Amino acid sequence: MLYQLKSIKPQHYSLNCTMPNGYLEEQREELKDSLLYRAPVDPSNWVGLKKEGDLLAYLRNNLLMLAVLVFEVTIYRHQLYFRLRNKLCPPAAHIIFHDVTRQHLDISIVHFIKYFVNYFFYKFGLETCLLLGVNVIGQRMDFYSMLHAVALIAVMYRRRRKAMAEIWPKYCFFLAFMLTFQYFICIGIPPAACKDYPWRFPNSTTNSKVVKWLYVPDFLTTPSPSFLIYDYMLLLCAAFQKHVFDDENKAAVRIMAGDNVEICRDLDAASFSVHNPVPDFIHCRSYLDMLKVITFSYLFWFVLTIIFITGTTRISVFCMGYLVACFYFLLFGGELLLKPIKKILHYWDFLIAYNIFVITVKNILSILACGYLKHLLKHQCWLIQLFSLACTIKDYNKDEINQENVCERGRDHLGQYLLCFSAASAKSLHELLLPPCGGGRQGLTDPGVQVFPTII
């Protein structure tokens, strides 16, 4: 607010940077839009100070953050006072409905909703984090999203939940380091020094689109700070999931929310109903039972539909794998649910692994689609069609080329990310469908599931 005083005049100490000699005429035309040369540089902007006519709008984010902190403190103080006055102990888990536990889940839709309001992240937090990880890759499609893809592969390679829990703190540290490092990249060096980056020197041949894909600091193609929002949401959910992994080892939480023990992979699907303590919902005694029947009966076919759509909306070498997977699953049909559990989960693991592989490879190939597309359209059209290359990143200055007689580019990759989520959900719901080794897990299913192939 002090910086908004009329006595402070930025034009008195702003700097005019001069473009060095040695640039080609084409480079000079491009660098005219650089932060260094388009206008006088105000040194105070680098530290976050800026002259604004509307002071309230300038302080809006700070006031909003202050209001949220006040609201949080008020709620926590009120809860603490209420518990101390009534001599109550805080719950083992941070929940809203304290009278709803795992035993109430199968009563009605109301109890079903209350339970998942309390424990949705406890049951599906890992899948949510993996979905957000794929979302970060799909939204960014740059060098750092390639690192996210490698980290996602490292986590998914563990397969078992307990193995993922062991590596999860390292994954959280990786996300925190990536977010911090990219934050400093967005800040960059002070422009008041009038020094450009090495990839903008006169003898540099680095393409501006390649600079944008590498997500390095630059005064012409500044890194988009909006990408950090996706990284932050992933880090936030990963931190929540770390607390979930810690809560799974607490007996008090397991009594209220149920356990997350994995199913026994050596169990026979045709005879597991004797181990399942959950009431039979196949006869639809309530609307909740109808919802379960619809979910567990038709999710398998819904995933196959997504696989088929993903494999047919584009023509590329990657789509062949989706079509093979679709028809391979259709070959078994409902009989797949009666195979040994180890085989069933292997099928889903292979599909998810192939999907992540395709996303990672396409992310690597995005440097060609976004950085060298003009050259590929003229000389390597077969490569674009083979891999269905397309620059799907927003704010890229795409080359204005008449494609009618040159080449046909690929389309959007939305179906691919939707498939990754649906396949992971199907695998997770199938694990909920079955009891753990030795019994004792209370899933969302019933003994009547072995009749699903007959119904379908």
Side-chain angles (χ1 to χ4, degrees):
M1 292 178 66
L2 293 176
Y3 189 74
Q4 307 302 320
L5 295 175
K6 294 182 179 180
S7 58
I8 299 178
K9 299 180 180 180
Q11 60 269 22
H12 290 171
Y13 52 84
S14 296
L15 302 174
N16 289 309
C17 299
T18 304
M19 190 180 302
N21 297 324
Y23 287 108
L24 299 177
E25 187 63 29
E26 183 180 354
Q27 292 176 322
R28 286 184 172 275
E29 288 295 326
E30 184 181 17
L31 289 177
K32 283 182 179 179
D33 295 328
S34 176
L35 178 63
L36 295 179
Y37 311 120
R38 67 188 178 201
V41 178
D42 184 0
S44 58
N45 290 348
W46 189 75
V47 296
L49 298 177
K50 187 178 179 180
K51 281 286 187 178
E52 290 285 349
D54 188 357
L55 184 59
L56 184 60
Y58 183 59
L59 299 176
R60 178 179 54 195
N61 293 334
N62 301 78
L63 296 176
L64 180 62
M65 182 172 61
L66 182 61
V68 171
L69 291 174
V70 170
F71 179 75
E72 180 191 20
V73 171
T74 303
I75 294 298
Y76 277 103
R77 289 295 178 91
H78 179 269
Q79 289 180 335
L80 178 62
Y81 172 75
F82 181 82
R83 292 191 180 105
L84 290 176
R85 183 179 180 181
N86 295 276
K87 298 180 180 180
L88 300 175
C89 296
H94 297 284
I95 56 178
I96 297 178
F97 303 104
H98 299 275
D99 56 341
V100 176
T101 63
R102 177 60 187 83
Q103 285 71 26
H104 301 87
L105 175 60
D106 303 296
I107 297 177
S108 64
I109 290 185
V110 175
H111 289 84
F112 175 84
I113 295 175
K114 287 183 177 180
Y115 175 82
F116 278 105
V117 167
N118 286 342
Y119 302 109
F120 175 82
F121 216 86
Y122 181 83
K123 287 295 184 183
F124 295 103
L126 181 59
E127 289 77 12
T128 303
C129 292
L130 298 179
L131 174 62
L132 288 177
V134 175
N135 178 67
V136 170
I137 298 172
Q139 294 291 342
R140 298 182 57 111
M141 294 294 288
D142 58 8
F143 174 75
Y144 291 93
S145 64
M146 185 172 62
L147 299 181
H148 279 288
V150 173
L152 183 64
I153 292 174
V155 172
M156 294 292 291
Y157 179 75
R158 298 300 185 101
R159 296 181 62 191
R160 306 301 293 265
R161 187 179 181 92
K162 284 296 182 183
M164 290 184 182
E166 295 175 357
I167 199 178
W168 201 258
K170 298 178 181 179
Y171 182 61
C172 293
F173 175 79
F174 165 78
L175 296 178
F177 173 78
M178 288 275 289
L179 182 62
T180 306
F181 184 73
Q182 291 176 85
Y183 179 78
F184 286 110
I185 284 179
C186 291
I187 295 177
I189 62 176
C194 290
K195 298 292 183 181
D196 217 332
Y197 294 97
W199 37 90
R200 292 300 179 188
F201 287 174
N203 57 352
S204 176
T205 58
T206 307
N207 192 332
S208 295
K209 296 179 181 178
V210 176
V211 172
K212 190 177 182 67
W213 186 86
L214 292 173
Y215 201 77
V216 292
D218 189 63
F219 294 121
L220 179 61
T221 56
T222 56
S224 176
S226 61
F227 284 162
L228 301 185
I229 298 177
Y230 305 114
D231 292 66
Y232 167 75
M233 295 304 299
L234 175 58
L235 176 60
L236 179 65
C237 291
F240 286 163
Q241 183 59 34
K242 183 179 180 299
H243 287 290
V244 169
F245 284 137
D246 295 336
D247 289 342
E248 288 177 356
N249 298 323
K250 299 177 181 178
V253 177
R254 291 199 302 269
I255 293 174
M256 297 177 61
D259 58 61
N260 283 334
V261 179
E262 290 185 327
I263 64 174
C264 181
R265 293 177 179 260
D266 297 324
L267 191 65
D268 185 9
S271 61
F272 76 88
S273 58
V274 295
H275 306 287
N276 200 332
V278 178
D280 185 359
F281 61 76
I282 196 65
H283 300 294
C284 296
R285 293 182 298 269
S286 64
Y287 289 108
L288 179 60
D289 291 345
M290 295 175 60
L291 180 63
K292 291 179 182 179
V293 170
I294 294 173
T295 301
F296 292 114
S297 297
Y298 300 108
L299 181 64
F300 173 75
W301 304 103
F302 173 75
V303 175
L304 293 189
T305 304
I306 297 298
I307 297 174
F308 184 77
I309 293 174
T310 305
T312 55
T313 51
R314 297 178 310 279
I315 301 177
S316 70
V317 67
F318 299 120
C319 296
M320 184 185 301
Y322 293 119
L323 291 178
V324 170
C326 178
F327 290 112
Y328 190 76
F329 277 97
L330 286 174
L331 179 65
F332 295 105
E335 294 181 1
L336 180 68
L337 300 177
L338 295 178
K339 287 185 174 294
I341 305 304
K342 193 173 184 178
K343 274 192 172 182
I344 297 175
L345 297 183
H346 270 158
Y347 292 145
W348 291 117
D349 287 338
F350 288 146
L351 176 60
I352 295 173
Y354 177 75
N355 201 320
I356 295 177
F357 167 77
V358 173
I359 291 174
T360 304
V361 173
K362 284 200 170 185
N363 181 58
I364 297 173
L365 293 175
S366 64
I367 187 174
L368 299 177
C370 296
Y372 301 100
L373 186 60
K374 182 177 180 180
H375 176 78
L376 294 177
L377 284 170
K378 292 181 178 180
H379 305 288
Q380 304 292 338
C381 182
W382 65 271
L383 188 64
I384 296 177
Q385 294 177 344
L386 180 65
F387 295 107
S388 186
L389 298 182
C391 184
T392 59
I393 313 173
K394 299 177 182 178
D395 301 329
Y396 262 75
N397 295 323
K398 299 181 177 61
D399 299 298
E400 298 295 336
I401 298 180
N402 185 9
Q403 301 178 36
E404 294 181 0
N405 301 321
V406 182
C407 188
E408 182 180 354
R409 285 189 257 188
R411 304 175 187 173
D412 193 19
H413 309 321
L414 175 63
Q416 209 157 347
Y417 306 124
L418 182 60
L419 170 60
C420 186
F421 170 60
S422 59
S425 301
K427 180 175 180 290
S428 300
L429 285 174
H430 197 87
E431 290 181 348
L432 282 175
L433 200 67
L434 304 171
C437 294
R441 177 173 178 176
Q442 295 189 359
L444 287 174
T445 60
D446 72 316
V449 73
Q450 65 262 25
V451 304
F452 280 171
T454 306
I455 296 177
I456 294 172

